[in-house]
Amino acid sequence: MKTIHIINLGTCNIGSVSNMLNYIGVESIVVNKKEELKNVKKIILPGVGSFDTNLKRLHELELFDIIKDLVEEKKIPILGICLGMHLFCKKSEEGSGDGFGFFDANVIKFNFDKSFGKILIPHMGWNDVLIMKKTKLIKEIETNKRFYFVHSYHVKCFDETDIMLITNYGYDFHSGISKNNIYGVQFHPEKSHKFGMEVLKNFSIL
């Protein structure tokens, strides 16, 4: 079990992620300087807020290119949570900047016409996930486990092999993606009690 570095962009409550890791016995270090990523073994990128705001912070802190190199060249495992997952994609309807492009995917806003009835945005609360492919991140998780979501935008993958989880909110959307050492989840594992603990524990032992 290796120490996990949590990227702090100053846009969300990093403490909740760190506290959950501590609760399950995993050491974590919160970082926001490029020098702090020298000996990194695993990375979690959480995120709350807008796509462009978080993207701007990554560039301001000179972390964007370093993270991209660590993940693509050195194959360091990374987990993106909520907006962190969005940043792994190419583009987002929420902004104009370019994401990491780890996945052939874009981020789009929930769009419900009158035929859907009254569906609230953001999607907020507990929901099920449907497993589309088994990975080490979800090896102990059974279908119909519930996780906590808070989001108005979601990922749309163009490569079906990258789709790890699907969730229905009005329509099916891609709530988990994975490729090699890269994992992203739309829900908040740090707020999802025992099911979220399983995800974080699995990531810690990859």
Side-chain angles (χ1 to χ4, degrees):
M1 189 178 294
K2 298 174 181 177
T3 300
I4 297 176
H5 286 64
I6 306 171
I7 306 297
N8 181 13
L9 300 180
T11 58
C12 65
N13 181 13
I14 297 296
S16 59
V17 179
S18 181
N19 290 340
M20 180 61 86
L21 289 172
N22 181 63
Y23 182 79
I24 61 175
V26 178
E27 182 181 4
S28 64
I29 301 174
V30 177
V31 300
N32 64 1
K33 296 182 176 65
K34 58 182 181 179
E35 297 82 7
E36 298 172 313
L37 292 176
K38 283 185 178 179
N39 299 311
V40 64
K41 301 300 181 184
K42 286 189 177 72
I43 300 170
I44 290 180
L45 179 62
V48 172
S50 73
F51 187 87
D52 275 2
T53 296
N54 282 265
L55 194 58
K56 182 180 178 183
R57 286 295 292 156
L58 280 167
H59 285 291
E60 287 175 346
L61 296 170
E62 299 181 3
L63 295 175
F64 186 92
D65 290 337
I66 291 174
I67 291 173
K68 192 171 177 66
D69 179 70
L70 286 169
V71 171
E72 292 186 330
E73 301 301 323
K74 298 184 179 178
K75 306 302 180 184
I76 297 297
I78 189 169
L79 171 64
I81 297 174
C82 196
L83 191 84
M85 169 185 173
H86 294 181
L87 292 166
F88 291 172
C89 302
K90 292 181 175 180
K91 293 279 189 180
S92 174
E93 289 182 354
E94 192 180 17
S96 58
D98 294 327
F100 285 105
F102 295 149
F103 294 90
D104 184 12
N106 288 334
V107 182
I108 63 176
K109 189 170 185 177
F110 278 114
N111 184 17
F112 304 118
D113 59 32
K114 292 181 180 179
S115 66
F116 286 93
K118 188 176 182 180
I119 300 180
L120 298 178
I121 300 175
H123 169 211
M124 182 182 299
W126 295 84
N127 210 332
D128 299 333
V129 300
L130 175 65
I131 297 173
M132 301 305 294
K133 69 173 180 178
K134 286 284 188 179
T135 67
K136 292 180 180 179
L137 187 72
I138 55 172
K139 62 182 179 180
E140 303 297 333
I141 298 173
E142 299 173 2
T143 298
N144 297 324
K145 294 291 182 71
R146 295 172 69 79
F147 296 90
Y148 189 77
F149 292 80
V150 183
H151 61 118
S152 300
Y153 293 78
H154 64 83
V155 168
K156 181 177 181 180
C157 277
F158 300 111
D159 185 342
E160 291 187 359
T161 64
D162 293 338
I163 302 169
M164 180 172 62
L165 303 169
I166 284 179
T167 296
N168 185 277
Y169 187 68
Y171 53 76
D172 289 344
F173 68 90
H174 303 149
S175 55
I177 55 179
S178 69
K179 177 193 294 183
N180 301 321
N181 54 308
I182 311 168
Y183 302 87
V185 291
Q186 183 63 66
F187 54 81
H188 288 267
E190 76 280 9
K191 297 179 180 179
S192 298
H193 305 318
K194 64 179 181 180
F195 303 137
M197 290 181 203
E198 291 177 9
V199 171
L200 293 175
K201 193 167 187 178
N202 287 344
F203 181 70
S204 73
I205 58 176
L206 286 176

